[in-house]
């Protein structure tokens, strides 16, 4: 028998909001969407909206406790600090951090992550906590050898094999054009798994890739791979998502659109690191599939998808100097069906429609500072917060419920791992 959830509003995203809406769930999938009158009230969420679970198309759960590292530094020394500290911890710490990250995502109504993972720990965490994920194992070219990449990918994959499933899938992430050589890109593409990368994030990266000069040159990047070369070699495809895309020009936008490469907009991360504001409208108008991602507390301060939605809306309007540059409804689409398209999971998730996976978030709007009741998308986007998420469901199962979630151990283990990252003896009780 189907489980019914109902609320003041259901926002299918696939269609207009449904007042006094209900969702019927059977066998982990959405059986029907309609009104309470049609489907029955079932479990009633008063003063609330049911939305598709957010799809966080670019994250690093393993950086959940990296808050403030290198804040205020230029991008090149920032990333150098980051790499140096990361070397101080092992897989158990990375798993502890990733668990905290996965929990914070669920608490923010996120049901899927496209996660770039240094150790693969994201897979373990998402399997345990019930979050849907594509876990892109990160590979770099410290010395340009492909054997290293292959053995690294194989070793990580083998280690996380038991955590992989239909819900938690593996991919690969050549980290960027300045850390992965053409040869590594070739090898990564030959694996025929989903791919993710970081693209045109900072001005320094842009300058290094274009002319081999600028602040990146002093840090001797591993590579200077051109996007045009990847295109010419047939290595760009719709299996690839490219996070950031801040410094893209018309030519790059054309390349992304032509080859079906999706962009992931990370407005808070780009703002915090002083990288700029991605040209969201140009990307969309240029035919690029665009999703939304929180990145991680290493740059953006949190996995809070509501803050990301607001940043996307505010910055798009500020950049374009027009209030219709991004509506609340469009922002919500970016974080749900847009991100699902970016991860090529839109047949299964990203909207509330019969036949799709029952990945849902229930957002309470009671007491919210911004409640235009007649416009629930604006109420969710402009007034929502993790504190207002009552429940998060993945495959129809409640994976997070406000007030019924044990944060204590997750936070403590995360804090211990942070001490190690900072090179401090663990200072907290175990
Ligand atoms: Zn990233």
């Amino acid at each position: 028998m189907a489980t019914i959830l109902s609320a003041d509003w259901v926002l299918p995203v696939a269609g207009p909001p449904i007042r006094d809406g209900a969702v019927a769930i059977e066998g982990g999938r959405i059986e029907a969407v309609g009104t309470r009158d049609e489907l029955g009230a079932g479990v009633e969420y008063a003063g609330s909206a049911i939305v598709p679970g957010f799809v966080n198309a670019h994250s690093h759960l393993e950086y959940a406790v990296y808050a403030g590292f290198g804040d205020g530094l230029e991008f090149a020394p920032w990333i150098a600090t980051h790499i140096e500290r990361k070397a101080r911890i092992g897989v158990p710490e990375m798993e502890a951090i990733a668990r905290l990250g996965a929990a914070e995502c669920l608490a923010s109504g996120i049901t899927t992550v496209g996660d770039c993972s240094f150790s693969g720990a994201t897979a373990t965490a998402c399997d345990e906590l019930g979050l849907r994920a594509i876990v892109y194992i990160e590979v770099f070219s410290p010395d340009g050898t492909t054997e290293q990449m292959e053995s690294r990918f194989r070793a990580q994959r083998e280690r996380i094999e038991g955590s992989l499933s239909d819900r938690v899938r593996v991919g690969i992430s050549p980290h960027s054009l300045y850390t992965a050589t053409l040869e590594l890109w070739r090898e990564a593409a030959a694996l025929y798994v989903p791919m993710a990368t970081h693209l045109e994030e900072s001005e320094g990266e842009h300058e290094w890739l274009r002319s081999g000069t600028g602040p990146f040159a002093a840090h001797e990047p591993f590579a200077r791979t051109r996007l045009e070369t990847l295109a010419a070699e047939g290595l760009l495809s719709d299996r690839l998502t490219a996070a950031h895309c801040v410094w893209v020009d018309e030519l790059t936008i054309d390349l992304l659109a032509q080859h079906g490469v999706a962009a992931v907009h990370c407005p808070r991360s780009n703002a915090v690191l002083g990288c700029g504001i991605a040209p969201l409208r140009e990307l969309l108008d240029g035919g690029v599939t665009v999703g939304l991602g929180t990145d991680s507390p290493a740059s953006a301060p949190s996995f809070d998808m509501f803050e990301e939605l607001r940043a996307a809306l505010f910055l798009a309007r500020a950049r374009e100097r027009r209030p219709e540059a991004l509506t609340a409804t469009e922002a919500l689409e970016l974080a749900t069906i847009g991100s699902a398209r970016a991860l090529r999971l839109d047949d299964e998730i990203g909207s509330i429609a019969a036949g799709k996976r029952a990945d849902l978030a229930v957002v309470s709007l009671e007491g919210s500072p911004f409640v235009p009741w007649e416009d629930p998308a604006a109420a969710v986007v402009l007034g929502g917060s993790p504190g207002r998420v009552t429940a998060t469901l993945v495959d129809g199962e409640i994976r997070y419920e406000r007030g019924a979630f044990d944060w204590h151990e997750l936070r403590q283990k995360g804090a211990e791992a942070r001490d190690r990252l900072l090179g401090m003896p663990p200072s907290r009780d175990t």
Side-chain angles (χ1 to χ4, degrees), residues 130-310:
L131 194 59
R132 189 181 307 286
I134 299 179
V135 182
Y136 305 99
I137 305 288
E138 279 195 311
V139 289
F140 307 80
S141 302
D143 57 10
T145 65
T146 56
E147 292 80 18
Q148 276 203 339
M149 187 222 89
E150 276 183 34
S151 63
R152 177 171 155 72
F153 178 76
R154 207 179 313 115
Q156 306 285 28
R157 205 208 134 101
E158 271 167 26
R159 200 168 46 70
I160 61 172
E161 191 71 47
S163 302
L164 299 178
S165 62
D166 191 37
R167 185 165 51 72
V168 178
R169 302 179 192 179
V170 75
I172 189 157
S173 172
H175 171 263
S176 69
L177 297 180
Y178 61 90
T179 48
T181 56
L182 176 61
E183 189 54 29
L184 187 141
W185 274 91
R186 281 193 193 117
E187 297 293 327
L191 295 170
Y192 291 101
V193 292
M195 293 173 77
T197 194
H198 299 81
L199 182 69
E200 296 282 13
E201 182 172 1
S202 66
E203 191 175 11
E205 170 189 342
H206 184 78
E207 193 181 342
W208 167 254
L209 293 174
R210 291 284 146 195
S211 59
T213 57
F216 269 48
H219 293 269
E220 296 173 13
F222 303 139
R224 213 179 129 218
T225 308
R226 299 292 296 263
L227 194 69
E228 292 86 334
T229 313
L230 296 186
E233 294 241 347
L235 302 175
L236 297 183
S237 75
D238 66 2
R239 280 189 292 118
L240 177 64
T241 66
H244 305 303
C245 298
V246 179
W247 288 87
V248 288
D249 52 22
E250 222 172 290
L251 204 79
T252 306
I253 291 175
D254 276 352
L255 276 178
L256 299 177
Q258 270 172 33
H259 297 277
V261 177
V264 184
H265 186 37
C266 303
R268 289 188 307 159
S269 173
N270 300 150
V272 169
L273 295 181
C275 290
I277 305 171
L280 178 61
R281 185 46 60 190
E282 283 93 325
L283 284 161
L284 290 168
D285 291 349
V288 179
T289 299
V290 184
L292 193 67
T294 62
D295 212 339
S296 78
S299 50
S302 66
F303 295 110
D304 184 336
M305 198 55 140
F306 297 94
E307 291 283 2
E308 206 65 54
L309 283 160
R310 285 192 279 276

Side-chain angles (χ1 to χ4, degrees), residues 84-102:
E84 179 198 318
R85 290 199 171 151
K86 193 158 66 176
R88 292 183 187 150
I89 58 170
V91 172
E93 287 89 357
M94 290 182 188
E95 286 177 352
I97 301 170
R99 279 186 200 100
L100 180 59

Side-chain angles (χ1 to χ4, degrees), residues 73-83 178 202 204 215-219:
L73 291 179
E74 291 279 326
F75 186 81
W78 173 83
I79 203 163
T81 304
H82 187 82
I83 290 166
Y178 61 90
S202 66
F216 269 48
H219 293 269

